[in-house]
């Protein structure tokens, strides 16, 4: 794991997302908001010019399919920046993006426990589920007083992958 020692210096972190207003964008804002005081967090949807201007200790790439491009860009710039990629795909998805993310990143955060286990709990990875901001989503009615519901959050593109209809 990456071991940062608090209060020894200001760590510079670059968070990369794909499209403003989409899930990775909001994840970056939440990470920026909740970062320790000794972390300087920049967020952006591109990596080119910004990485030439400033050296970062760590880049967190939310778009796992871009890990290779970011790695190649860092190599061209001769930067030894730690690259961490997020992998946000469920266990039913059979593709090679995880292999690529693991190959091209120093570390991968996998947000599906079943996918992480299916992949054999790879070295240089960790499983972590997506959290919920309890300041925004407050529990008003106690769970034991609510009727069970099925809630679909996602895209039709991923409908089959996530077995929504089942």
């Amino acid at each position: 794991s990456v071991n940062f020692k608090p209060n020894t210096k200001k760590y510079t972190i670059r968070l990369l997302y794909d499209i403003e207003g989409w899930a990775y964008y909001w994840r970056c804002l939440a990470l920026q908001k909740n970062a320790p005081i000794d972390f300087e967090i920049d967020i952006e949807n591109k990596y080119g010019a910004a990485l030439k201007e400033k050296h970062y200790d760590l880049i967190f790439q939310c778009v796992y399919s871009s890990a290779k491009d970011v790695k190649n860009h860092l190599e061209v710039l001769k930067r030894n920046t730690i690259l961490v990629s997020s992998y946000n795909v469920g266990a039913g998805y059979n593709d090679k993006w995880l292999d690529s993310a693991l190959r091209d990143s120093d570390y991968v955060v996998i947000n599906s426990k079943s996918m992480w286990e299916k992949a054999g709990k790879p070295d240089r990875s960790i499983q972590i589920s997506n959290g919920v901001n309890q300041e925004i989503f407050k529990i008003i009615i106690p769970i034991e007083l609510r009727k069970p519901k099925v809630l679909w959050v996602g895209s039709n593109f991923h409908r089959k992958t996530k077995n929504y209809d089942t």
Side-chain angles (χ1 to χ4, degrees):
S1 68
V2 179
N3 185 15
F4 288 117
K5 296 177 183 157
N7 302 318
T8 58
K9 74 172 235 173
K10 193 82 161 176
Y11 292 99
T12 56
I13 312 290
R14 180 73 162 191
L15 306 177
L16 299 173
Y17 61 90
D18 50 0
I19 299 170
E20 189 168 327
W22 284 28
Y24 296 144
Y25 170 77
W26 295 111
R27 176 175 290 173
C28 288
L29 286 179
L31 289 168
Q32 184 180 46
K33 173 185 169 190
N34 294 296
I37 60 170
D38 54 341
F39 282 41
E40 179 185 323
I41 308 290
D42 294 334
I43 66 171
E44 185 84 40
N45 68 342
K46 50 192 164 230
Y47 50 86
L51 296 182
K52 288 180 184 176
E53 298 166 8
K54 183 174 181 178
H55 175 78
Y56 290 91
D57 297 305
L58 185 141
I59 294 176
F60 183 66
Q61 171 62 37
C62 290
V63 186
Y64 52 85
S65 59
S66 297
K68 183 175 184 173
D69 293 335
V70 176
K71 177 186 175 185
N72 290 342
H73 192 73
L74 290 169
E75 287 175 354
V76 167
L77 293 173
K78 296 180 177 19
R79 298 284 169 85
N80 61 347
T81 302
I82 297 166
L83 176 59
V84 177
S85 292
S86 172
Y87 189 75
N88 303 300
V89 175
Y93 201 62
N94 187 13
D95 69 11
K96 297 298 178 190
W97 285 118
L98 180 57
D99 293 340
S100 174
L102 288 164
R103 180 186 64 240
D104 297 321
S105 307
D106 295 299
Y107 209 80
V108 178
V109 178
I110 302 171
N111 84 332
S112 165
K113 183 177 181 184
S114 56
M115 183 60 174
W116 184 63
E117 290 172 345
K118 177 183 173 184
K121 301 179 183 177
D123 290 338
R124 299 181 300 104
S125 74
I126 190 168
Q127 179 275 321
I128 186 168
S129 62
N130 289 329
V132 174
N133 184 330
Q134 292 181 342
E135 293 173 27
I136 295 172
F137 302 101
K138 295 183 191 287
I139 297 173
I140 298 170
I141 300 171
I143 196 163
E144 61 274 2
L145 299 178
R146 292 186 246 163
K147 288 194 237 176
K149 295 179 184 177
V150 174
L151 174 66
W152 169 246
V153 178
S155 67
N156 283 330
F157 178 79
H158 290 105
R159 186 178 188 122
K160 183 177 179 185
T161 300
K162 295 183 179 184
N163 297 317
Y164 169 72
D165 295 312
T166 304

